[in-house]
Amino acid sequence: MTFIDQVRTWIERWDASDQHRTGTPGDWQTSEWLFQEISTFGARAELSSFPFVRKSIRKAQLKVGQKQFSGVPMFDGGFTSSRGHMGCLSTTPKKDSILILTDATGDSLNQVRRTQDLKGIVVVSNLPAPGLALLNADSFENPFGPPVLQVSSQFRLDLLDAAGSNKSGTLSVVFDDQHTTASNVETKIVGSKPELAPLVVMTPKSSWYTSTAERIGGIVCWLECIRHFVDHQPMRDVVFTANTGHELGHVGLDRFLASNPCLTTSAFLWVHFGANFGATDSNIRIQSSLPSHLRTLRSRLEKHGITIASEVKSGTRPSGEARNIFDGGGEYVSILGSNRLFHHQDDRFAVNVDLPRLLRINSAFIECVQAWSSSV
C-alpha cells in the first residue's frame, strides 16, 4: 500500500463513523482503531479509559403555538423540568424572556448567559451552510446559566417573526445521565537520551458529528509522527496522546494532565495538532509560546508550499488544547485552520478534505518534530 493509499484509508475509516462524540460507541471504536494502528507500527499503545457521565438528550425543543423547533442543547448550560420553561420570545435580553439569537459567537453567548436573567436562550445556527452547526460546551464540568437550545438555520425567519410578534413559547431541555466510559489513546517512543525532557505530541479524537475535515488532519499527522519515530529513534522520549472530550471542555486532556501532573512544564515542547487544517480552503493559523518554534514551523510549512493566514504570538492565550498548556505554563506549538462546515453534519471526506495539502502539511511536521526531538 502506498503512503497516499494508507492516508486515504485512514480518512475513510474515520469518515465511516457518524458519531465521534465523547463517551459514545463511535468514540470508543476510534480508540480501538488508533490502538490497532499504533500496534501495527510496532509501538506499544495504551487505552487510558476513565468513568464518564454522558448527558443523553431526552427532550430538546421550543414550542410556539402549534410549531415545534427541535435542536440540540448546550451541554454546559441549564436544564428545565419535563414541563419546560415558558416565556415571551425576544431578540433582546429581557427578564424572564426566551432570547432568540441569530448571530451568536461563543464569547457573546457566554456573556449573555452569565449576565442575564432569562428563561432560556435559543441559538440559531449562523454558519454559511444551511443546517445545524454546534458550539462547544467548554464548561461541561461546571455548567452555568439558563438552558440553551441550538437549532438549524432553517428556523431563522420563523423564530424572528415569532419574537417580533411578541409570541410566547415553551422551552424544554431535559437530560438523562448515562454512566459510561471514555478513553484516550497513548504511546511513548523511547529516545536514545531519555534523560532529556520529553517531546509531547497531542491531538483531539472526539467531536460532535463525523467532523472529518475538522479532526482528520490531526489524526493523520499524529499517526504519521508515531510511525516516523518507530523507524527513526528520537534523541529525547516522545509521548503521544490522542484525547477525547474536545467538544466538552477538553475533559480527556484534563484527565491526561491529571495523570501526568508534572508533564505540562517538564516537557521540552507540546506539539498540538488542532482543528480544521485538513479542510478545503482552510485558512491556516499557527501559534506558539516561543518565537523560535514558530519560526521553525513557519519555515517548514512554507518550504512545502503552505500559505499561513495568521499567527498567534507568544503571550496570547491560544485556541484549542494548546490553551491548557498555556494555562499551565508549558511550552507549545500548534496548528489550526478554518472550516466552512465547522461542527456541521456535512463535514465529510467527499466534500471537505484537501488531501494533497494535508499531505504537504504532514511532511512539514515530520521535519519539525524530527528537529524538535533532536534539539538540546
Side-chain angles (χ1 to χ4, degrees), residues 17-31:
S17 175
D18 62 1
Q19 178 61 265
H20 289 288
R21 187 183 152 199
T22 303
T24 62
D27 185 35
W28 184 259
Q29 289 164 10
T30 299
S31 290

Side-chain angles (χ1 to χ4, degrees), residues 99 101 103-115 121:
L99 178 64
L101 292 178
D103 58 353
T105 64
D107 290 341
S108 66
L109 174 59
N110 286 342
Q111 184 176 1
V112 174
R113 292 166 71 189
R114 293 186 186 281
T115 60
I121 301 173

Side-chain angles (χ1 to χ4, degrees), residues 48-59:
S48 179
S49 60
F50 55 93
F52 179 72
V53 180
R54 178 176 179 264
K55 290 186 176 181
S56 178
I57 303 169
R58 188 195 308 175
K59 193 174 184 181

Side-chain angles (χ1 to χ4, degrees), residues 21 54-60 72-80 140 147-148 172-178:
R21 187 183 152 199
R54 178 176 179 264
K55 290 186 176 181
S56 178
I57 303 169
R58 188 195 308 175
K59 193 174 184 181
V72 176
M74 290 290 292
F75 290 90
D76 61 355
F79 54 91
T80 72
F140 179 75
V148 181
S172 298
V173 171
V174 184
F175 297 108
D176 291 320
D177 286 346
Q178 179 183 356

Side-chain angles (χ1 to χ4, degrees), residues 258-318:
S259 298
N260 299 273
C262 299
L263 193 57
T264 301
T265 54
S266 66
F268 170 73
L269 179 67
W270 290 72
V271 178
H272 167 234
F273 292 124
N276 300 322
F277 63 86
T280 299
D281 298 326
S282 178
N283 293 314
I284 301 299
R285 181 166 83 254
I286 59 176
Q287 44 193 20
S288 180
S289 56
L290 289 174
S292 60
H293 296 321
L294 206 61
R295 286 194 299 270
T296 298
L297 179 54
R298 184 194 309 118
S299 67
R300 298 306 196 279
L301 289 171
E302 291 176 347
K303 170 186 171 183
H304 288 274
I306 303 301
T307 299
I308 300 167
S310 61
E311 299 182 10
V312 179
K313 305 295 185 181
S314 59
T316 302
R317 192 171 190 248

